[in-house]
Amino acid sequence: LKVRVEGPYGHMGLRLAEYSTVVAVAGGIGITPTGRLLAMALDDQARRAQLPTLRRLVVIWAVQDRSHLAWFEPLLARARKHHGDAEGGEGGEGGAGAGGVDGFTVELHIFVTRGEVLTTPADAKSESPLPFTAGRPKLSEVLGGVEAGLGPDAAGRPGRGVAVLTCGPRLLQRE
């Protein structure tokens, strides 16, 4: 799997419109640019206009404390609802794979690395209902799943493979 690493330069060096799969890896508040991308991807009209070849968006977000999930909970919940909930499916542990409109899918992989972590957020009445995995993401495993999911587009649509974006601590970016 070839990976091109860009940034940070204040603007994106990749033309995401050319890629069929985008993987966004975020740590903490690094979810901010990914949140904008996710919001655009969830808007079918905007996605078709600005990211015409995008068929799969994989969001990997690691936070230190589960209370941080509240920062983007409405958007992430919308992603699960908008594209149906396939929790425990493609998304794997702590992830939700969501099959969507015209072949577009979203996968959420959320990790809580510190603090009092429950095995399931459903046990905490006042906490986020988003599924998560306790511990740090094993990016090689998640990206291996992305690579395994690559294959020819059944509809023969164009696309240039996988773009991987990162925003967060250097340790996360180095992995």
Side-chain angles (χ1 to χ4, degrees), residues 33-49:
T34 297
R36 175 68 184 111
L37 175 64
L38 179 58
M40 180 177 43
L42 292 175
D43 179 334
D44 295 331
Q45 186 176 7
R47 185 185 70 253
R48 287 185 198 118

Side-chain angles (χ1 to χ4, degrees), residues 69 80 85 87 94-96 108-111 120-121 128-133:
L69 299 178
R80 293 181 70 214
D85 187 7
E87 190 177 329
L108 302 175
H109 300 268
I110 302 172
F111 297 85
T120 173
S128 172
L130 294 169
F132 63 82
T133 299

Side-chain angles (χ1 to χ4, degrees), residues 72-82 108 129-130:
F72 283 84
E73 184 177 337
L75 178 61
L76 297 170
R78 194 172 113 221
R80 293 181 70 214
K81 182 179 179 184
H82 180 73
L108 302 175
L130 294 169

Side-chain angles (χ1 to χ4, degrees), residues 10-74:
H11 70 282
M12 189 166 307
L14 293 174
R15 295 176 189 227
L16 294 182
E18 298 176 4
Y19 292 88
S20 56
T21 299
V22 173
V23 178
V25 182
I29 199 64
I31 190 71
T32 303
T34 297
R36 175 68 184 111
L37 175 64
L38 179 58
M40 180 177 43
L42 292 175
D43 179 334
D44 295 331
Q45 186 176 7
R47 185 185 70 253
R48 287 185 198 118
Q50 297 178 40
L51 302 169
T53 61
L54 184 64
R55 298 292 165 253
R56 186 175 178 201
L57 176 59
V58 180
V59 176
I60 304 164
W61 184 28
V63 295
Q64 290 185 357
D65 189 275
R66 70 174 182 234
S67 67
H68 299 170
L69 299 178
W71 297 340
F72 283 84
E73 184 177 337

